Amino acid sequence: MKRIMKKIALTLCAALTLGLLSSCGDTSESSDNGAQLSGNEKSFVITLYSQYAPITCENFEELVKDGFYNGLTFHRVVEDFMAQGGDPNGDGTGGSEKTIKGEFSANGVDNKLSHTRGIVSMARSQAFDSASSQFFICYTDECTFLDGQYAAFGEVTEGMETVDSFLEIERTLGSDGAMSSPSEPITIVKAEMISDDADGNHRAEFFVTVGE
């Protein structure tokens, strides 16, 4: 299983993916970007750990506050591996206007946050400093082989069952060679910064609709 997951994970380097965030600077309210919540969304909360990846956290938080993620999708969902989203192109090839330094040991950064279930990390191309807006959420503790190669920066601390529900959507063969492309949209209706946790870590809440 680990060998198969490693092969699938190589596709994380095949397309430009996420550049993530949050120095977790200030916690001012996110701007009103016009996103309308219908009342039937599910949600999950990402807690940002700037002690491990300050550049990534800052970038991510800025994107959330700017409303960048509103209306985007989770375009790649792989059972026993991860769910990936945050691409304005919706196919793993896009990002925001800037890229950031990859905060992981292979790139000279001592990031001790391990890729276990619920951990949020940045996608990237083969270039170490290519992360932009795309991020992925780990489904299992077997994702630790990504440690040192990708910038883990946060964790889903509430609503992991929402992320699990992505797996209920039928998937077709994706460009990664896996059954990873959702046949119905998994849409981020709105993302916003919310209050810090008890330890002062900044948090973002993502409201999503799963399927039609």
Side-chain angles (χ1 to χ4, degrees), residues 20-31:
L20 246 302
L21 59 114
S22 135
S23 67
C24 310
D26 74 43
T27 52
S28 60
E29 300 259 340
S30 58
S31 60

Side-chain angles (χ1 to χ4, degrees), residues 116-191:
T116 53
R117 175 171 164 80
I119 290 298
V120 186
S121 187
M122 294 302 291
R124 62 173 178 83
S125 70
Q126 292 184 357
F128 281 178
D129 296 334
S130 60
S132 179
S133 64
Q134 292 189 52
F135 62 95
F136 61 93
I137 302 170
C138 297
Y139 275 126
T140 77
D141 292 343
E142 300 300 319
C143 293
T144 54
F145 63 88
L146 299 173
D147 292 355
Q149 300 292 325
Y150 294 86
F153 67 93
E155 181 179 11
V156 175
T157 51
E158 296 179 29
M160 189 61 191
E161 65 275 9
T162 292
V163 183
D164 289 338
S165 74
F166 299 173
L167 294 166
E168 298 172 6
I169 298 297
E170 182 179 351
R171 283 153 282 138
T172 59
L173 191 66
S175 59
D176 57 2
M179 299 300 288
S180 62
S181 181
S183 58
E184 298 179 63
I186 302 170
T187 304
I188 301 168
V189 179
K190 184 177 182 179

